[in-house]
Amino acid sequence: MTLDIDTGLLAAALDRIIPPVDDLPGAGAMGLAEEVIARSRADFRFSDALDTVVNALPSPNAFTALDGEGQDGAIRALESSHPDDFNLWLDVVYTIYYMQPAVHRRMNWHGRSPQPEGNVMPPWDESVLGVTRQREPFWRKA
Amino acid sequence: MTSPIHNPDRTADVLIVGAGASGAAVAASLSEAGFDVVCIEQGHWQDSFKYPTIEPDYELRAMSSWSINPNKRRLPEDYPVNVDDSAIEPVMFNGVGGSTILWAAHTPRLHPSDFRVKTLDGVAEDWPISYEDLEPWYDLNDQVMGCAGIAGDPANPPRSERPMPPIPIGRDGEMLAGAFDRLGWHWWPSDNYVNSTRYGEGRDACNFCGHNMMGCYQRAKSSTDLNYWPRAIDQGTELVTGARVREITTDLAGSATGVSYLDPGGNDRHRAARAVVVAANGIGTPRLLLLSNSEKHPNGLANSSGLVGKNLMFHVYAGVTGIFPDNEDRWVGPAANMILSQEFYETDPGRGFVRGYSYQTGRGQGPGATARGGSRRVPWGADHHVQMQRRFGNTVSLGIIGDDLPEEHNSVTLDEYLTDGSGLPAPKITYRVSDNSRAILDHALVQGQKVLEEAGASEIMINPHSREAGWHLMGTARMGDDPERSVVDRNGQSHDIDNLFIVDGSVFVTGGAVNPTPTIQAIALRTADYITRERKDLKTR
Ligand SMILES: Cc1cc2nc3c(=O)[nH]c(=O)nc-3n(C[C@H](O)[C@H](O)[C@H](O)COP(=O)(O)OP(=O)(O)OC[C@H]3O[C@@H](n4cnc5c(N)ncnc54)[C@H](O)[C@@H]3O)c2cc1C
Ligand code: SF4
């Protein structure tokens, strides 16, 4: 469904899932809540998981009133009460986070999609076979 | 690519169901021999320039519309699979090229002993054919698909010169090879159907993008839409896509007369043929035979043995992953195809199990997949960034592929309730991991850790069982000389119906401990050769 997701609540939870690091804000403060909602709409498994997770969290006011440890405790509680939905949601959140150019820059990674550029094929060096080639054939005759 | 116009009302010589690894090989071979061939495929052609690895959200698509799991992908051409009672989930692709669109293209061969497990080890059944029977077809398939590798592997019988040099094993491969060498254990560069140089029309060399299992933009990874299919179509094969076969039809005498299928518009159609070849994979094939039941064949077609759908084998998979924190970008290069070790392939009674396993080496993955972690996610919360930094670009894995001996209770049946988009009953899988398989994996996990320790891993993660790893679909319509103990004979011809053939992994008697596709295709080519030589009665041209 993913109709009435409170983006403030989701953003607060995302900040606990992937907290700030170096000069990068947490996943929520980066504004990923909207992207998580929009991309979850494309696959009903994702949107069901998102709905379950958000509905299982405390209300927005109650969640934001908790301190960091309290928020982590609430997330851990839903992780154990709804493990399948939580893990799928977590996978979606992780994947979207690691699509962000700012995240790639911080990781010092090129961030390109695999194609069309690809990488460079190293040379084939036959000398690596030196030891294993010495072995006598040992396959079992049948 | 489209097929030239054919008359759909004609009676074709041979009708093939499924345009994947095996269907393509049979189509090319029979059409080159002059048969009038039609193939019906429920999926579509793929455009390699539109594979998702060109998009920034490729890792999210791999979880959804490009998942290897049809229950997650759920495209109209996919059928759902009930896996509630299965320890392993089957994965596949439905389209021209079949599962070779998504495969890793790691292409070892069965060992001679795999064909004789009853004689040698007193388990399961012997195959009615031998390694030597298949060898010329393995060689031919290596040429057509394009094999990169190097002859001389001491764990296998001598084999002919590979058409291309091996895919370089890179620093990570060398690191593992060194560890195997120091332990005194076997390793050899993998045979792969991946181009190490330009090979085949319009097919470039691999550019080490690292993402085989989402289709290959470079066309470096071989898939049958790139080689067998263009040849088959050049030779006049008619390929009908977007059409789902719902039944193999028979006449009063019990001979196959063709198939009924749903055309792309959902209309019920019939195509007549003098023979039917089923190449719908180890799940699609028993499903179709069971769907083709009738008053005359109440238990499904070609099923007088009662073995259609029984003896399902997947191979059992597990893995160990080492973290090597020196940041050498370990995720570049074809995913699963560096080196293999067959030190523990053959039975050794001292180990407490029969048969054995291979190690395949796997590189790391992109950042999203690294965070998702397969069997072990990077934790969320305060520790996330530290753990992610330790892993990303720094992992190398040993995948364990264990022999999975046939057991009748592991099966494909028709689900009572679940249906596909055409309303046809979906397959239901019943599968448990046997004690022998578990013992194989446990042994391999212990030995695998030794390799990673020897290679210098700072931390080792263990995945005791891979669930979404049913890439190899075998055994569900096995071959044999005894019609009471097998579904097809040594030539892939049904014992019950002499113009019905099966050529996919269903016909495997045992699975060995290697990826099956070169064997599947060698069997398909051998059956096509049999039809060409011995079944001229089917030919009208
Ligand atoms: C992710 C992944 C990785 C893999 N990696 C490797 C590897 O490294 N090495 C290896 O050896 N193997 C690997 N495999 C397995 C390999 O792809 C298969 O063994 C091989 O493709 C099987 O060939 P096949 O012809 O039996 O079936 P498929 O290639 O699966 O083709 C069957 C075709 O039949 C069609 N079909 C089914 N039912 C119907 C119907 N009723 N009507 C019309 N059409 C129908 C399907 O749409 C499909 O296109 C992998 C598979 C996957 C999914
Ligand atoms: S790693 Fe090579 S073979 Fe695999 S998808 Fe990339 S270019 Fe193709």
Side-chain angles (χ1 to χ4, degrees):
Chain A
M1 286 288 288
T2 327
L3 291 179
D4 305 314
I5 301 289
D6 185 308
T7 45
L9 172 64
L10 183 58
L14 291 182
D15 276 339
R16 300 308 303 171
I17 295 290
I18 308 181
V21 60
D22 302 337
D23 57 347
L24 267 189
M30 276 172 74
L32 290 193
E34 280 86 358
E35 189 169 349
V36 168
I37 293 170
R39 288 191 180 271
S40 295
R41 284 201 181 111
D43 186 314
F44 83 81
R45 289 183 317 117
F46 298 171
S47 60
D48 282 357
L50 174 62
D51 282 343
T52 304
V53 163
V54 172
N55 288 330
L57 281 170
S59 70
N61 287 343
F63 189 76
T64 43
L66 293 168
D67 63 8
E69 255 177 49
Q71 292 182 344
D72 286 356
I75 295 172
R76 267 194 295 275
L78 100 83
E79 183 174 18
S80 58
S81 61
H82 300 84
D84 292 345
D85 286 314
F86 180 84
N87 285 330
L88 178 56
W89 173 75
L90 187 61
D91 285 348
V92 171
V93 168
Y94 278 175
T95 308
I96 291 173
Y97 179 82
Y98 285 105
M99 280 159 45
Q100 307 302 315
V103 173
H104 299 157
R105 277 194 297 277
R106 192 220 136 234
M107 294 166 76
N108 203 14
W109 180 60
H110 60 68
R112 295 189 309 265
S113 52
Q115 293 290 357
E117 207 172 318
N119 298 291
V120 177
M121 189 191 288
W124 161 240
D125 171 11
E126 199 160 329
S127 70
V128 294
L129 294 174
V131 174
T132 197
R133 223 179 212 155
Q134 307 303 317
R135 181 119 177 218
E136 288 298 314
F138 66 101
W139 51 278
R140 194 175 177 193
K141 307 268 184 318
Chain B
M1 178 165 298
T2 48
S3 303
I5 303 297
H6 295 84
N7 174 8
D9 296 325
R10 76 192 189 284
T11 297
D13 294 340
V14 177
L15 185 147
I16 302 167
V17 183
S22 58
V26 171
S29 181
L30 290 182
S31 55
E32 279 165 5
F35 287 84
D36 173 12
V37 179
V38 57
C39 174
I40 301 194
E41 164 57 51
Q42 64 192 346
H44 304 279
W45 286 96
Q46 302 302 311
D47 178 349
S48 47
F49 296 120
K50 293 194 177 139
Y51 283 134
T53 45
I54 197 158
E55 304 292 345
D57 63 352
Y58 65 100
E59 290 197 289
L60 195 63
R61 294 189 195 204
M63 297 170 61
S64 168
S65 54
W66 277 91
S67 171
I68 57 176
N69 185 334
N71 287 344
K72 295 180 178 168
R73 200 170 54 228
R74 295 191 321 271
L75 299 176
E77 57 267 36
D78 292 321
Y79 53 86
V81 184
N82 181 339
V83 290
D84 293 349
D85 290 329
S86 180
I88 295 180
E89 291 192 45
V91 296
M92 63 178 85
F93 189 78
N94 297 309
V96 179
S99 303
T100 64
I101 297 295
L102 295 187
W103 71 332
H106 174 61
T107 51
R109 297 181 181 184
L110 285 177
H111 285 208
S113 68
D114 289 317
F115 296 85
R116 295 285 174 269
V117 298
K118 177 99 174 168
T119 304
L120 295 174
D121 295 321
V123 290
E125 307 262 348
D126 287 347
W127 292 56
I129 56 175
S130 65
Y131 177 85
E132 289 72 26
D133 290 328
L134 281 186
E135 196 173 5
W137 309 110
Y138 275 129
D139 285 347
L140 176 60
N141 196 57
D142 285 348
Q143 294 292 333
V144 178
M145 294 291 283
C147 184
I150 185 163
D153 178 0
N156 281 273
R159 60 184 66 154
S160 53
E161 203 57 35
R162 321 281 68 212
M164 283 174 278
I167 296 287
I169 67 174
R171 278 176 305 204
D172 23 13
E174 285 171 20
M175 184 179 74
L176 290 176
F180 280 114
D181 281 345
R182 290 191 294 280
L183 289 166
W185 292 356
H186 166 261
W187 73 272
W188 198 256
S190 300
D191 267 4
N192 296 301
Y193 289 171
V194 171
N195 281 3
S196 57
T197 58
R198 285 184 75 89
Y199 187 92
E201 204 177 317
R203 298 187 49 218
D204 237 315
C206 169
N207 71 6
F208 263 51
C209 85
H211 284 273
N212 288 32
M213 290 200 274
M214 299 187 77
C216 180
Y217 176 93
Q218 293 288 110
R219 300 169 150 227
K221 181 182 77 168
S222 189
S223 47
T224 59
D225 57 328
L226 302 178
N227 36 51
Y228 278 115
W229 272 116
R231 278 174 57 171
I233 288 168
D234 270 359
Q235 294 298 320
T237 294
E238 178 189 6
L239 175 55
V240 181
T241 56
R244 179 170 279 146
V245 176
R246 61 172 186 78
E247 184 186 0
I248 299 163
T249 53
T250 50
D251 60 18
L252 287 175
S255 295
T257 54
V259 301
S260 293
Y261 70 100
L262 297 154
D263 75 9
N267 307 301
D268 218 338
R269 306 265 183 218
H270 186 263
R271 281 316 261 298
R274 284 178 192 82
V276 173
V277 174
V278 195
N281 84 31
I283 290 182
T285 288
R287 178 193 185 212
L288 180 59
L289 295 174
L290 295 173
L291 282 172
S292 303
N293 61 1
S294 62
E295 231 168 77
K296 197 167 168 55
H297 308 282
N299 300 323
L301 212 56
N303 198 17
S304 63
S305 65
L307 290 177
V308 168
K310 303 273 174 65
N311 296 305
L312 171 66
M313 298 173 281
F314 282 124
H315 286 135
V316 285
Y317 265 84
V320 285
T321 298
I323 298 181
F324 297 85
D326 52 5
N327 209 352
E328 292 192 357
D329 245 5
R330 292 216 148 75
W331 65 279
V332 302
N337 321 55
M338 287 185 282
I339 64 176
L340 90 167
S341 170
Q342 297 189 323
E343 183 66 27
F344 303 102
Y345 196 91
E346 301 290 355
T347 299
D348 175 342
R351 294 186 196 131
F353 53 83
V354 279
R355 308 306 298 159
Y357 58 90
S358 300
Y359 288 117
Q360 297 171 346
T361 48
R363 299 173 161 98
Q365 295 173 294
T370 302
R372 299 196 298 266
S375 63
R376 210 163 107 187
R377 273 181 197 81
V378 173
W380 60 270
D383 210 20
H384 178 82
H385 296 292
V386 173
Q387 290 299 330
M388 183 67 186
Q389 195 169 345
R390 279 173 60 71
R391 287 199 213 173
F392 180 55
N394 296 333
T395 59
V396 179
S397 300
L398 291 179
I400 297 153
I401 166 171
D403 202 335
D404 180 12
L405 292 166
E407 296 178 292
E408 271 190 40
H409 58 81
N410 291 334
S411 62
V412 178
T413 51
L414 295 180
D415 197 84
E416 258 185 86
Y417 307 105
L418 189 66
T419 56
D420 65 19
S422 317
L424 303 174
K428 173 178 167 49
I429 309 298
T430 306
Y431 179 91
R432 30 175 218 269
V433 176
S434 70
D435 291 346
N436 192 65
S437 295
R438 188 62 258 165
I440 286 178
L441 293 181
D442 289 343
H443 186 273
L445 288 167
V446 172
Q447 307 308 314
Q449 288 174 75
K450 290 184 192 160
V451 179
L452 294 180
E453 277 161 16
E454 180 62 39
S458 67
E459 186 185 334
I460 295 172
M461 298 182 288
I462 293 172
N463 172 15
H465 167 71
S466 302
R467 183 173 161 81
E468 200 174 78
W471 1 68
H472 306 153
L473 312 172
M474 306 170 290
T476 48
R478 72 181 177 199
M479 61 163 62
D481 290 333
D482 178 356
E484 290 186 6
R485 299 292 306 144
S486 55
V487 177
V488 296
D489 70 11
R490 58 181 58 213
N491 298 311
Q493 179 173 315
S494 157
H495 289 300
D496 299 353
I497 300 173
D498 80 353
N499 64 343
L500 179 68
F501 298 84
I502 302 175
V503 292
D504 54 49
S506 310
V507 304
F508 277 38
V509 181
T510 53
V514 290
N515 315 50
T517 310
T519 308
I520 290 175
Q521 293 183 297
I523 288 171
L525 291 171
R526 185 173 177 275
T527 292
D529 177 65
Y530 168 78
I531 294 173
T532 303
R533 283 185 296 100
E534 305 293 332
R535 296 303 306 268
K536 297 194 172 80
D537 57 305
L538 301 171
K539 196 168 170 182
T540 48
R541 277 184 184 169

